């Protein structure tokens, strides 16, 4: 009788999960949960159930159905802890490196939020003394950070609210928060790791009025520089803005010591990766940026007449942001003079009308900061 119950619950499960009417989903999943303690459940079966859970991510769109899936995952990780972690990691890996990459960003962001919720369940139920968990927890946090990074790209406030609720609820457990922080510091300085660090800082600041950044400012600045400034590819705009918890808190002395030297090198060596970022970075600093404006402004002005459309547009936007952070009129005046000097042929005659227009567009941006300074 028990064997019949097991085979009945699992028979053609992948097909039934995808084709069962919405109103029958709860019954189907409860039948699976009811046989999880059966002695016949083995690694192959658990792997199959984990794959089935993965297939629901694009099909089960209503909140009730998603809750049914989460309840099954909770039961599965409770009864077959090690096997569930092992096989769900494969599911997450397929999501991140294969399936989410083939769908539009707006859709992948929503799917990533669901997967973040699944990782949260595993972290909450994890048996910390399990050898499998000790071995795989770093991989679990890595996938969590990669999924979080996918959601950061979305401008959808619902996605932001959902991911924040999932992570903040998880991090209310101090032990899990500290465990995650320790593991991240063991990982390489990649954009996903840096961004998750920033969210953790934000969490402590908002929920506990706690300032945890100070002891880690130098280390987090190092992560920021390696992943957002000295990187080989241009970081997404949303990744830079996600680092506001660090950039809004650093002092001018810390910025000079930890960030600015690398930023200055990068704008000269790899402007294509830095032209957009540099304006966003200066815009988030909470101190006057006049002393940086001349050196940085000269480079930005040079790129106002670059042959690349993107370079010209990014230079224009960054020059605008940098100018609004300057209070020293003498610096602003120098930038204005530089723009007109270039227009008058100091770097060679500029005949392309589009380039000249772009330089002229830089004038009102810098001129606005003059008015602010006065």
């Amino acid at each position: 009788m028990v064997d019949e119950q097991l085979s009945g619950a699992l028979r053609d499960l992948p097909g039934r999960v995808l084709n069962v009417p919405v109103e029958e989903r709860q019954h189907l999943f409860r039948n699976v949960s009811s046989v999880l303690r059966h002695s016949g459940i083995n690694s192959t079966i658990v792997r199959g159930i984990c794959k089935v859970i993965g297939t629901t991510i694009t099909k089960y769109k209503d909140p009730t159905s998603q809750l049914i899936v989460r309840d099954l995952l909770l039961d599965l990780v409770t009864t077959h802890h090690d096997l569930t972690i092992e096989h769900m990691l494969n599911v997450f890996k397929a999501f991140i490196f294969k399936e989410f990459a083939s769908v539009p960003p707006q859709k992948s962001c929503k799917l990533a939020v669901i997967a973040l919720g699944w990782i949260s369940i595993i972290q909450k139920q994890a048996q910390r003394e399990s050898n499998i968990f000790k071995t795989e927890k770093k991989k679990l946090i890595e996938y969590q950070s990669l999924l979080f990074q996918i959601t950061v790209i979305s401008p959808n406030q619902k996605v932001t609210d959902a991911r924040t609720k999932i992570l903040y609820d998880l991090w209310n457990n101090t032990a899990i928060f500290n465990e995650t922080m320790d593991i991240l510091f063991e990982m390489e300085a990649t954009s996903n790791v840096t961004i998750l660090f920033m969210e953790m800082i934000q969490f402590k600041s908002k929920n506990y009025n706690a300032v945890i950044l100070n002891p880690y400012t130098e280390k987090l600045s190092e992560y920021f520089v390696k992943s957002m400034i000295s990187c080989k590819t241009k970081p997404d705009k949303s990744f830079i803005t996600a680092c506001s918890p660090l950039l809004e808190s650093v002092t001018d002395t810390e910025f000079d010591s930890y960030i600015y030297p690398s930023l200055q090198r990068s704008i000269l060596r790899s402007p294509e990766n830095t032209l957009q970022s540099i304006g966003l970075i200066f815009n988030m600093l909470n101190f006057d940026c006049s002393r940086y404006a001349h050196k940085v402004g000269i480079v930005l002005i040079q790129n106002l007449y670059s042959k690349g459309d993107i370079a010209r547009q990014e230079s224009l936007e960054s020059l605008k942001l940098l100018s609004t952070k300057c209070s020293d009129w003498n610096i602003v005046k120098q930038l204005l003079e530089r723009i007109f000097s270039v227009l008058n042929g100091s770097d060679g005659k500029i005949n392309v009308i589009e380039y000249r227009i772009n330089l002229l567009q830089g004038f009102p941006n810098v001129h606005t900061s003059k008015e602010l300074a006065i």
Side-chain angles (χ1 to χ4, degrees), residues 263-280:
L263 188 60
Q264 191 174 18
R265 284 194 297 271
S266 183
I267 192 67
L268 294 173
R269 295 175 183 176
S270 307
E272 68 279 4
N273 294 338
T274 317
L275 288 173
Q276 181 183 61
S277 302
I278 198 164
L280 297 170

Side-chain angles (χ1 to χ4, degrees), residues 133-261:
F133 180 73
K134 288 179 180 178
T135 301
E136 302 292 357
K137 64 181 179 181
K138 188 174 181 179
K139 184 65 68 177
L140 193 66
I141 299 299
E142 179 189 356
Y143 290 165
Q144 181 187 46
S145 68
L146 287 166
L147 289 167
F148 177 72
Q149 178 172 264
I150 293 172
T151 71
V152 167
I153 297 173
S154 175
N156 189 324
Q157 188 59 42
K158 289 184 178 179
V159 170
T160 302
D161 293 343
R163 74 168 187 240
T164 301
K165 186 178 185 303
I166 290 168
L167 290 177
Y168 283 20
D169 179 64
L170 176 67
W171 293 336
N172 275 324
N173 183 315
T174 304
I176 292 178
F177 179 91
N178 292 336
E179 176 184 66
T180 302
M181 182 76 79
D182 291 341
I183 291 172
L184 287 176
F185 274 125
E186 295 174 3
M187 296 167 70
E188 292 184 13
T190 55
S191 59
N192 50 291
V193 171
T194 300
I195 291 170
L196 192 59
F197 264 134
M198 299 302 163
E199 189 68 16
M200 297 185 81
I201 294 169
Q202 193 87 326
F203 163 76
K204 277 292 186 181
S205 175
K206 283 185 176 180
N207 287 42
Y208 294 93
N209 257 342
V211 180
I212 67 166
L213 179 60
N214 291 344
Y216 304 115
T217 298
E218 182 174 0
K219 186 66 175 176
L220 291 181
S221 296
E222 179 185 330
Y223 271 72
F224 174 75
V225 166
K226 287 182 178 179
S227 62
M228 303 293 176
I229 296 176
S230 303
C231 46
K232 294 181 180 180
T233 57
K234 182 172 72 173
D236 190 271
K237 182 178 180 179
S238 61
F239 297 171
I240 300 294
T241 55
C243 295
S244 60
L246 171 68
L247 295 171
E248 290 175 357
S249 301
V250 293
T251 64
D252 54 349
T253 301
E254 291 167 338
F255 182 74
D256 287 344
S257 299
Y258 308 142
I259 298 176
Y260 183 62

Side-chain angles (χ1 to χ4, degrees), residues 17-36:
V17 162
L18 296 182
N19 298 311
V20 69
V22 174
E23 61 273 12
E24 296 179 21
R25 286 172 177 173
Q26 187 169 41
H27 177 71
L28 175 63
F29 276 71
R30 278 182 176 173
N31 282 345
V32 176
S33 289
S34 69
V35 300
L36 289 179

Side-chain angles (χ1 to χ4, degrees), residues 121-137:
I121 290 171
I122 294 173
Q123 283 185 280
K124 288 178 181 177
Q125 299 302 316
Q127 300 167 13
R128 261 64 196 173
E129 296 308 311
S130 159
N131 287 331
I132 288 291
F133 180 73
K134 288 179 180 178
T135 301
E136 302 292 357
K137 64 181 179 181

Side-chain angles (χ1 to χ4, degrees), residues 305-318:
Y305 54 96
S306 166
K307 292 182 179 179
D309 294 344
I310 294 176
R312 292 199 304 272
Q313 185 58 40
E314 289 178 347
S315 299
L316 186 62
E317 289 300 316
S318 285

